[in-house]
Amino acid sequence: MKHSRARNVIERCFGLLKRRWAILRSPSHYPIKIQGRMITACSLLHNFIRMYMAVDPEENARLAFDELPIGEDLPEVLAYIETVESSQIWTQWRDDLAREIYDEWRGRRA
């Protein structure tokens, strides 16, 4: 369940980036290293726009019906992620979550 919720958040983030940046909407023929850099650049530009533009046109854009996640509360879904920064706290949280999921899975198999 936790993994599924995290995946939904990531998919919504990529959906937002694809809506804003046309280069991310179609299959890319660039090498993997370049593709990773393109995603990072688009993410950084998105965060820059969100931080410094008085009005972000994407902020008020409506989600298409097929973009709405199923089975989740909409107010939580529509909450915006302001910035994404790496930190030891988040790294530890991620590692703890992965360990918890693995231990739970392993406990079921025993």
Side-chain angles (χ1 to χ4, degrees):
M1 180 65 120
K2 291 178 182 180
H3 184 266
S4 175
R5 291 182 70 86
R7 181 178 174 192
N8 285 342
V9 169
I10 291 168
E11 286 179 358
R12 285 193 306 271
C13 291
F14 274 103
L16 181 68
L17 289 174
K18 285 168 61 175
R19 187 169 53 208
R20 184 183 291 275
W21 308 108
I23 195 167
L24 300 178
R25 291 185 203 137
S26 59
S28 178
H29 302 288
Y30 293 102
I32 295 296
K33 188 173 184 178
I34 299 298
Q35 291 180 38
R37 289 179 178 171
M38 287 174 15
I39 292 169
T40 301
C42 290
S43 299
L44 290 171
L45 287 170
H46 169 78
N47 289 341
F48 183 81
I49 290 168
R50 296 271 300 141
M51 288 172 57
Y52 293 104
M53 279 185 69
V55 176
D56 180 2
E58 287 295 321
E59 185 174 328
N60 297 321
R62 292 178 172 254
L63 291 174
F65 181 75
D66 60 342
E67 292 178 318
L68 290 174
I70 298 172
E72 294 187 22
D73 297 329
L74 286 180
E76 181 181 79
V77 170
L78 298 177
Y80 286 96
I81 297 172
E82 295 296 325
T83 60
V84 177
E85 296 179 14
S86 178
S87 71
Q88 183 58 35
I89 294 169
W90 282 109
T91 301
Q92 185 63 47
W93 178 84
R94 183 198 64 220
D95 292 345
D96 292 344
L97 177 62
R99 191 173 304 108
E100 180 183 330
I101 291 169
Y102 175 76
D103 290 344
E104 184 178 315
W105 172 78
R106 190 169 183 186
R108 289 184 195 164
R109 294 187 71 211

